[in-house]
Amino acid sequence: MATMTYREAIREAHREALSSDPRVFLMGEDVGRYGGVFAVSLGMAEEFGEERIRDTPLSEVGFVGAGVGAASAGMRPIVEVMTVNFSLLAMDQIVNGAATLRHMSGGQLSVPLVIRMATGAGKQVAAQHSHSFENWYAHVPGLRVAAPATVHDARFMLKAALADPDPVILFEHVLLYNMSGEVEELAGPVDLRRAAIRRAGDDVSLITYGGSLPKVLEAAEHLASGGIDAEVVDLRALRPLDLETILSSVRKTHRAVVVDEGWHTGSLAGEISARIAEDALYDLDAPVERICSAEAPVPYPHHLEQAALPKVDEIAAAAKRRVGSDG
Amino acid sequence: MSGGPSVRAGPEGAAERAAGTSGDSAQGAGRRGRPPAHPYFAGTDEEKARGLFQLVGEDGAAHPLVDAMPRALARDLYRGMVRIRVIDARMMALQRQGRIGFYGEALGQEAAVVGSAAATQPEDWLVPALREAGAGLYRGMPLDAYVAQIFGNDRDVSRGRQMPCHPCDRDTNYVVMSSCVASQIPHAVGIAHAMTVEGRGGRMCIGYMGDGGTSTSDFHAALNFAGVLQAPVVLACQNNQWAISTPGEAQTAAETIALKGLGYGLESLRVDGNDVMAVYVATRYAAQKARAGGGPTFLEFLTYRVSAHSSSDDPSRYRDETITEAWRTRRDPIQRARALLEGRGWLSPSEDDALWAELEEEIRAAVGVHERAGQPALDSLFEDVYEQPTWLLREQRELLNAKGA
């Protein structure tokens, strides 16, 4: 076991990929000499050269579009989009381009492109840096979407993404970069099809992903001290969802709370709730509850930003309501 | 070399290479490629971007550079243009009869399509816009593949997934066009950059757009990236002066489109797009330069959309068709090439008649086969979304089959 930060784990994953496959290169804004705005690629330009750790002009359309082209021509590019907010400038390239080329060409083309982007709020950088649009991409056939929520997954998800013959989007929550954790050395790639049970329990399923996982685990500890045994499901894969793991947890606990930093309406949490209703309604002892973000652009002031986001006590309270033990 | 009565297609510039005049090797071309020996290329960057490179006038009079061109190449180019015109005419007729759903013809733009395609080599990649299918055909995309795609039948290698005029032929490095105008040119730059990353030189990628495409953010991004990355790419704009109903002057305040390319630091050439020889020579220069590591070039082919935008459009509603008439007649690229060939004794009227008849028969036969072919299987809806179907797709396939049962 090695201890490292989430940021270091992603960096290690890049170093491994760049060392083992000459087709892999990283491009994006400030990823080279500067080392990335989240310092993920710090030192990599010196190690691998500026050709493979490529600073690009400031244009999401440009580097995502070039990534689509390079991937279709046989490379394994990794594109870093600074945040999901800015990825909307390249959404056509991702949705109409990367996601559709295999199908539209009858399988003649493939786009094995990995797009990494930071997501989420909590750093007081206001709406245009803080949104969570994972569900927008998780809506799109042709894309595989995943979110590492642990240091271990941060270390071994990139390998799986690069091995995938289709475009993969990896969402890195901004509040996780400094998180430390243990990494099993020599582990295999993360299975991008499988969710992970981060805490086993019998009373209620807390289903979440990405930056909300630490909050949910904290809520689960709080619940445990009050005698409620929560199971925590980390989705990992946002498209396609690991429905099997979600449903088997719900069938065991008979209660579900879905925690998702996206906005309530049209959220990934909504899709998960609908799936539970379609496939496991009669296993439920209580309605599904969703904890999502306030339906307003994420504000700058600390107290308003915190008020807008899913909170530990709110998650715990929802679980108690579902279990019926909130007095 | 072809000397017989039948004008053979030169899908891979075979005739030209056989004649030993291609000069397409990196070694031969030097770092920047040799500019053609023509006064246009002696101009400043700005003069080139404002001027117009032409080798053959509307009367068929030719610059001496044309004298050095092999007869077989000239005949190949002519054949390639006639082939597009014949195919397009047939397809537009089918569309009017309701036998195919949509078509976008290249009427009046055949020289830009064929002249540029002829300057590519098989290992180059081609990223088309709407009117470059003829470039794919010239490079060896089988006519059967093209027609099957238009019918979207079960012989279509794209499996019926795309609307007509959007073929993809991986075997000849011809990428499916994007309906999101100009979104394909960043791909062209990326494909070219991949060639650099791979470290196997001597190849390039040509990406096309129309004049409307030059207003998009993708155009800006692609040209900017091409310049910064010094990618082995040729970005070619078919300036046909109309983006559906929007004329060039409503598209940009730039004096020429080539000047835009210059703004990104790209050598930018403005070429008479109805002069197939000029298009060929300019593109060959740009392609050689790219393959030799000399970086990107932007080409503006000045032409005119004689046809409607597509089968869904009626241009008489928004433009003066007397202007169109001039482009349809005295500026027509095929007439100009024919005048050149006939003037040099490279093509006789009877050979010309035979060529048109042969190509009409070729497309007639292909339509006959593909109109009768079967449809893609219902199950194929769920294939090629991912390399392997996900559980979601398997679930939906089962649901569809259950409904059908």
Side-chain angles (χ1 to χ4, degrees):
Chain A
M1 287 287 197
T3 301
M4 62 180 74
T5 64
Y6 184 89
R7 169 186 294 110
E8 287 164 344
I10 299 171
R11 188 184 306 144
E12 279 310 298
H14 280 78
R15 293 183 65 239
E16 179 188 33
L18 286 152
S19 303
S20 60
D21 187 343
R23 299 171 304 171
V24 173
F25 65 97
L26 172 70
M27 63 178 163
E29 270 168 73
D30 302 312
V31 300
R33 274 172 293 179
Y34 189 64
V37 291
F38 295 104
V40 166
S41 51
L42 203 62
M44 279 166 43
E46 288 81 353
E47 186 176 354
F48 296 100
E50 292 182 4
E51 284 293 317
R52 295 186 75 196
I53 311 296
R54 166 67 76 167
D55 279 325
T56 67
L58 199 171
S59 170
E60 285 75 13
V61 166
F63 49 78
V64 174
V68 170
S72 63
M75 295 295 105
R76 289 292 181 277
I78 304 167
V79 171
E80 179 179 300
V81 179
M82 205 177 280
T83 82
V84 69
N85 306 276
F86 313 147
S87 79
L88 304 194
L89 292 159
M91 201 148 183
D92 170 69
Q93 287 292 344
I94 299 172
V95 176
N96 282 317
T100 59
L101 281 171
R102 179 188 291 282
H103 196 256
M104 287 196 314
S105 68
Q108 294 182 82
L109 298 173
S110 62
V111 186
L113 171 68
V114 176
I115 305 174
R116 292 177 34 243
M117 45 181 117
T119 185
K123 291 175 75 80
Q124 269 199 275
V125 284
Q128 291 166 341
H129 288 102
S130 302
H131 288 145
S132 294
F133 296 130
E134 291 90 320
N135 60 321
W136 294 22
Y137 293 106
H139 181 62
V140 180
L143 299 179
R144 197 174 280 282
V145 182
T150 66
V151 175
H152 184 274
D153 280 2
R155 173 66 183 86
F156 294 108
M157 218 177 243
L158 184 69
K159 194 175 196 167
L162 284 166
D164 199 287
D166 292 301
V168 179
I169 301 180
L170 296 179
F171 284 105
E172 300 161 6
H173 195 284
V174 289
L175 290 188
L176 298 180
Y177 285 119
N178 288 329
M179 176 176 72
S180 279
E182 290 198 327
V183 168
E184 253 181 77
E185 284 162 89
L186 306 173
V190 169
D191 186 345
L192 291 178
R193 293 165 304 177
R194 305 301 292 182
I197 304 296
R198 299 300 183 191
R199 184 187 193 284
D202 293 323
D203 296 335
V204 58
S205 298
L206 304 180
I207 301 163
T208 192
Y209 69 92
S212 298
L213 179 65
K215 294 179 188 177
V216 170
L217 287 169
E218 195 183 332
E221 288 312 307
H222 174 77
L223 289 165
S225 66
I228 295 176
D229 190 17
E231 177 148 297
V232 176
V233 180
D234 170 9
L235 295 171
R236 295 208 290 202
L238 309 184
R239 181 179 186 94
L241 291 165
D242 176 6
L243 195 58
E244 200 180 315
T245 300
I246 295 167
L247 292 178
S248 70
S249 176
V250 171
R251 287 184 178 124
K252 180 174 74 167
T253 63
H254 310 291
R255 299 169 187 91
V257 174
V258 189
V259 182
D260 173 0
E261 199 174 304
W263 290 307
H264 229 95
T265 303
S267 60
L268 204 51
E271 172 63 20
I272 292 164
S273 304
R275 275 289 186 171
I276 293 170
E278 283 174 335
D279 297 334
L281 185 67
Y282 300 114
D283 293 296
L284 291 176
D285 287 344
V288 175
E289 185 158 342
R290 283 186 282 167
I291 303 294
C292 300
S293 287
E295 301 218 10
V298 177
Y300 168 74
H302 180 69
H303 69 294
L304 293 182
E305 182 179 40
Q306 290 306 309
L309 302 175
K311 291 168 280 295
V312 173
D313 56 354
E314 191 183 22
I315 298 163
K320 285 181 193 171
R321 275 196 297 277
R322 296 305 109 191
V323 177
S325 61
D326 59 340
Chain B
M1 252 182 88
S2 141
S6 164
V7 181
R8 295 272 309 138
E12 289 152 11
E16 185 198 8
R17 272 194 296 280
T21 57
S22 97
D24 272 0
S25 76
Q27 296 80 5
R31 172 90 190 145
R32 289 268 298 173
R34 283 188 303 260
H38 187 281
Y40 171 88
F41 284 88
T44 63
D45 285 347
E46 196 177 327
E47 283 165 350
K48 284 185 281 186
R50 289 183 194 276
L52 192 71
F53 175 53
Q54 188 188 64
L55 288 176
V56 182
E58 284 171 20
D59 57 359
H63 183 272
L65 268 180
V66 176
D67 301 339
M69 254 187 234
R71 170 180 178 272
L73 171 65
R75 285 163 62 100
D76 279 352
L77 294 172
Y78 180 70
R79 184 187 202 275
M81 290 195 290
V82 173
R83 195 169 183 224
I84 298 175
R85 184 156 298 180
V86 165
I87 292 168
D88 282 356
R90 181 76 182 138
M91 290 301 163
M92 285 303 287
L94 293 188
Q95 198 281 333
R96 294 299 180 227
Q97 294 160 13
R99 292 157 69 184
I100 59 172
F102 169 92
Y103 200 75
E105 59 184 323
L107 186 63
Q109 299 177 226
E110 295 91 344
V113 175
V114 168
S116 55
T120 66
Q121 296 195 337
E123 61 272 29
D124 296 332
W125 281 54
L126 192 148
V127 178
L130 176 60
R131 300 183 209 283
E132 284 81 24
L137 291 168
Y138 192 89
R139 283 165 50 82
M141 177 201 302
L143 181 64
D144 270 328
Y146 181 62
V147 177
Q149 196 279 323
I150 287 167
F151 282 102
N153 63 27
D154 63 2
R155 301 182 189 193
D156 171 21
V157 286
S158 298
R159 310 188 71 190
R161 304 263 174 63
Q162 259 290 16
M163 65 188 295
C165 298
H166 293 58
C168 180
D169 188 50
R170 186 65 188 79
D171 289 345
T172 56
N173 298 331
Y174 183 94
V175 176
V176 58
M177 87 154 259
S178 173
S179 305
C180 312
V181 167
S183 66
Q184 73 279 5
I185 49 175
H187 303 172
V189 176
I191 290 166
H193 184 56
M195 293 168 177
T196 307
V197 172
E198 204 173 5
R200 200 154 64 81
R203 294 179 300 159
M204 66 98 197
C205 178
I206 183 165
Y208 293 86
M209 78 229 69
D211 41 304
T214 68
S215 298
T216 66
S217 55
D218 294 73
F219 172 83
H220 161 71
L223 268 71
N224 195 42
F225 268 60
V228 170
L229 296 173
Q230 284 298 294
V233 70
V234 177
L235 296 171
C237 174
Q238 283 213 53
N239 178 8
N240 70 13
Q241 308 188 45
W242 290 94
I244 306 186
S245 71
T246 307
E249 62 267 24
Q251 200 65 251
T252 178
E255 194 182 316
T256 72
I257 288 176
L259 280 167
K260 290 196 189 188
L262 194 58
Y264 294 100
L266 271 59
E267 184 182 8
S268 298
L269 310 177
R270 191 158 175 267
V271 182
D272 181 344
N274 283 20
D275 173 359
V276 71
M277 296 299 182
V279 170
Y280 170 74
V281 167
T283 312
R284 188 181 65 172
Y285 160 69
Q288 283 174 343
K289 184 179 92 176
R291 291 190 203 104
T297 306
F298 180 73
L299 301 176
E300 175 187 351
F301 300 138
L302 184 66
T303 181
Y304 199 82
R305 197 194 74 206
V306 171
S307 66
H309 166 71
S310 73
S311 52
S312 314
D313 173 40
D314 171 15
S316 68
R317 289 172 52 218
Y318 54 76
R319 71 180 183 186
D320 178 356
E321 293 290 43
T322 58
I323 295 168
T324 310
E325 201 48 34
W327 291 87
R328 189 194 306 278
T329 53
R330 68 185 165 82
R331 289 182 175 163
D332 179 67
I334 291 182
Q335 284 191 34
R336 197 186 307 187
R338 187 194 298 127
L340 175 80
L341 265 69
E342 290 187 349
R344 291 178 180 235
W346 288 353
L347 182 76
S348 71
S350 65
E351 281 179 321
D352 191 36
D353 291 344
L355 174 68
W356 287 76
E358 174 208 333
L359 294 172
E360 276 159 13
E361 174 54 26
E362 178 193 44
I363 186 64
R364 197 198 61 74
V367 168
V369 168
H370 289 286
E371 193 168 27
R372 285 196 301 271
Q375 292 183 319
L378 203 55
D379 262 9
S380 71
L381 172 61
F382 301 103
E383 290 164 10
D384 305 316
V385 181
Y386 299 90
E387 188 186 59
Q388 298 296 326
T390 59
W391 68 264
L392 265 169
L393 289 161
R394 289 193 299 271
E395 178 188 80
Q396 291 180 7
R397 185 170 56 200
E398 281 158 25
L399 280 170
L400 183 79
N401 288 340
K403 271 188 241 165

